Amino acid sequence: MADGVHSISHSISGELTEAGHRLLQRVYYEDTDFSGLVYHARYLHFLERGRTDYLRCLGVEQRELITADEEGLVFVVHRMEIDFKSPARMDDILTVTTRTEKAGGAKMVLTQEIRRDDTLLIAAKVIIAVINASGRPRRLPEGLAKQMMIEV
């Protein structure tokens, strides 16, 4: 601490923890509606950022997967279940956590939460389809499936 200024170091991509990936996000004016609460569709942005940075922290570069082999590999959201528990407001600091529940075959199942401090705001289950560059289902390579199931 210098001159009364606190310095907190966080990676822009979040961090891997025992509970899964953890990403901090601030709520900005653009995230809210006329009521001052976060607009429901904006939570999808926070969840997507959590999933993307989770993969990044695991060492998975999505843009490289499409050309990693002759077939190519792409992740797409197939299904999402979201429980809206409590609203977030402008300037809240949210914690987005992401964990792999299952990885294998042609899909992955991720669980995600958005919290403000200890208050659960959003609980989501996301089913990710694994497809090739042509849009057809393909198996998740075994090494990548193991990488997705890493426990810290």
Side-chain angles (χ1 to χ4, degrees), residues 43-58:
Y43 291 107
L44 295 175
H45 294 256
F46 296 133
L47 294 170
E48 178 64 37
R49 290 175 193 158
R51 290 190 306 275
T52 299
D53 282 333
Y54 173 49
L55 292 172
R56 185 172 285 117
C57 286
L58 287 174

Side-chain angles (χ1 to χ4, degrees), residues 103 140-150:
L140 186 63
E142 187 176 324
L144 189 52
K146 285 182 183 176
Q147 195 173 353
M148 294 299 301
M149 295 303 295
I150 288 177

Side-chain angles (χ1 to χ4, degrees), residues 117-128:
D117 300 318
D118 292 329
T119 303
L120 178 63
L121 306 179
I122 300 291
K125 182 175 185 174
V126 185
I127 299 172
I128 305 292

Side-chain angles (χ1 to χ4, degrees), residues 81-86 120-125:
E81 298 172 14
I82 302 175
D83 290 325
F84 295 91
K85 305 285 189 180
S86 188
L120 178 63
L121 306 179
I122 300 291
K125 182 175 185 174

Side-chain angles (χ1 to χ4, degrees), residues 86-113:
S86 188
R89 293 173 173 78
M90 193 167 81
D91 291 328
D92 283 352
I93 302 295
L94 307 179
T95 302
V96 182
T97 57
T98 306
R99 287 182 331 121
T100 304
E101 189 176 294
K102 177 186 179 234
K107 75 176 180 180
M108 294 185 299
V109 179
L110 304 178
T111 55
Q112 294 189 277
E113 291 182 347

Side-chain angles (χ1 to χ4, degrees), residues 13-57:
S13 296
E15 63 182 342
L16 293 174
T17 71
E18 290 180 6
H21 178 260
R22 183 174 171 267
L23 179 68
L24 298 178
Q25 294 282 279
R26 180 182 305 278
V27 175
Y28 293 102
Y29 180 76
E30 68 184 16
D31 300 316
T32 63
D33 61 18
F34 69 92
S35 71
L37 302 175
V38 171
Y39 181 64
H40 73 279
R42 295 299 290 179
Y43 291 107
L44 295 175
H45 294 256
F46 296 133
L47 294 170
E48 178 64 37
R49 290 175 193 158
R51 290 190 306 275
T52 299
D53 282 333
Y54 173 49
L55 292 172
R56 185 172 285 117
C57 286

